Amino acid sequence: MKKLLISFALCGSVIAGSPSLDNITSSDLDSISKEFSANFVHRPVSPASPLGDIIGVEVGLVAGQTDAPKIKEISQREDPTADNLDSLYHAGIHIAVSVPFGITGELIALPETELGDVSLKNTSFGLKYTFSELFDLPMVDLAIRGHYTSGDLNYSDRIDGVNTTISLDNSTSGFQLLASADLVIVEPFIGVGTVSRETTLKASGSARIFDTTFTTSQSSTVDGSSTQFLVGAQLNLLFLRVAAQYENVFDTSIVSGKLSFKF
């Protein structure tokens, strides 16, 4: 299997992780979609509270790791030595703006990043409404969030002796119910929701990446939905915000962190 290195300059690390895909079945595609979608769901790693009573702005970085045992298993069918693909990684610039009435707009973006024959980009949007502002609850914030993500991964591989471009186009959308506690310095938070996904896997050229009992096409799309659970905490230090979060969606575990500044 060809190892591809994707440089996430935004978080100062180099990440390995694009598998060689061949003889993909319907079940394989669904597993790839679940883990890839879980990795790129919109996650600002933030509590339910707004950024201010009037207006507030937050700018920073989010990054994390997603378990990917199925992608590793699929890769090892073609290359048994592929032992470093049991995780996917995400990173991006995080910007959030709160306005009156508890409304917060959120953006997480990884601009198109290229290294050699690899191209990756991902953008997600969220809109959070902290409806507990209507009730003036002491030390407790409640919110709902709607979100949407679009991402693309393209890379070159050699399949069946043929140079092939592999493309993964992915989108997710969903809603969350959030609750957090304002303990002055620390804000623990929890959330539940539902997320829908759609993933298209396609290959250029004459090489076939799908099992012919599944499809003879060079492109196939799969979709699905899942409940979502998340729990985390944010540390508020003057203008600095540091947060961590655990999440499970599409039967996949994700850990993420955030480092940001609030104005």
Side-chain angles (χ1 to χ4, degrees):
M1 188 209 72
K2 185 178 181 180
K3 296 178 182 178
L4 303 175
L5 299 179
I6 301 174
S7 175
F8 283 164
L10 296 174
C11 60
S13 62
V14 177
I15 297 167
S18 292
S20 181
L21 303 178
D22 199 3
N23 298 313
I24 300 300
T25 65
S26 175
S27 177
D28 290 339
L29 181 57
D30 194 52
S31 295
I32 292 168
S33 173
K34 285 180 177 180
E35 293 178 349
F36 193 75
S37 296
N39 190 57
F40 291 108
V41 167
H42 178 76
R43 55 178 59 90
V45 193
S46 299
S49 58
L51 296 170
D53 294 332
I54 304 300
I55 192 168
V57 178
E58 183 179 34
V59 179
L61 300 174
V62 293
Q65 176 179 310
T66 301
D67 289 345
K70 289 296 185 179
I71 290 178
K72 177 181 179 179
E73 178 184 319
I74 294 166
S75 297
Q76 286 186 324
R77 288 202 314 244
E78 303 303 316
D79 180 4
T81 66
D83 58 359
N84 66 333
L85 291 172
D86 55 354
S87 296
L88 300 174
Y89 300 86
H90 54 272
I93 299 170
H94 166 61
I95 301 172
V97 179
S98 288
V99 296
F101 307 110
I103 297 173
T104 303
E106 303 163 337
L107 167 69
I108 300 174
L110 177 69
E112 186 166 1
T113 302
E114 295 186 5
L115 182 64
D117 51 11
V118 179
S119 176
L120 173 67
K121 64 179 179 179
N122 191 71
T123 305
S124 68
F125 304 92
L127 185 63
K128 182 175 71 176
Y129 172 47
T130 307
F131 59 87
S132 58
E133 295 285 288
L134 297 173
F135 312 114
D136 195 26
L137 298 175
M139 300 178 61
V140 175
D141 290 290
L142 302 172
I144 55 173
R145 174 188 286 131
H147 56 89
Y148 174 80
T149 301
S150 177
D152 301 288
L153 171 67
N154 300 279
Y155 66 96
S156 297
D157 204 355
R158 192 165 181 83
I159 299 176
D160 300 330
V162 178
N163 291 329
T164 305
T165 297
I166 306 296
S167 299
L168 268 168
D169 300 331
N170 189 77
S171 65
T172 65
S173 60
F175 294 92
Q176 299 170 351
L177 176 64
L178 301 166
S180 59
D182 183 0
L183 305 181
V184 184
I185 295 178
V186 178
E187 283 187 83
F189 58 89
I190 191 169
V192 294
T194 181
V195 183
S196 298
R197 61 181 164 91
E198 182 175 281
T199 305
T200 299
L201 175 63
K202 53 188 174 183
S204 66
S206 59
R208 296 190 179 278
I209 62 170
F210 297 107
D211 189 308
T212 55
T213 61
F214 168 39
T215 180
T216 58
S217 173
Q218 290 296 80
S219 175
S220 186
T221 299
V222 65
D223 56 24
S225 61
S226 168
T227 56
Q228 178 187 36
F229 170 78
L230 63 90
V231 60
Q234 178 171 280
L235 185 64
N236 302 321
L237 300 172
L238 294 178
F239 298 107
L240 182 66
R241 300 290 185 266
V242 181
Q245 173 181 297
Y246 168 81
E247 179 183 350
N248 189 282
V249 64
F250 301 120
D251 299 318
T252 301
S253 294
I254 309 102
V255 291
S256 305
K258 177 185 71 175
L259 178 63
S260 65
F261 294 91
K262 184 259 183 182
F263 307 96

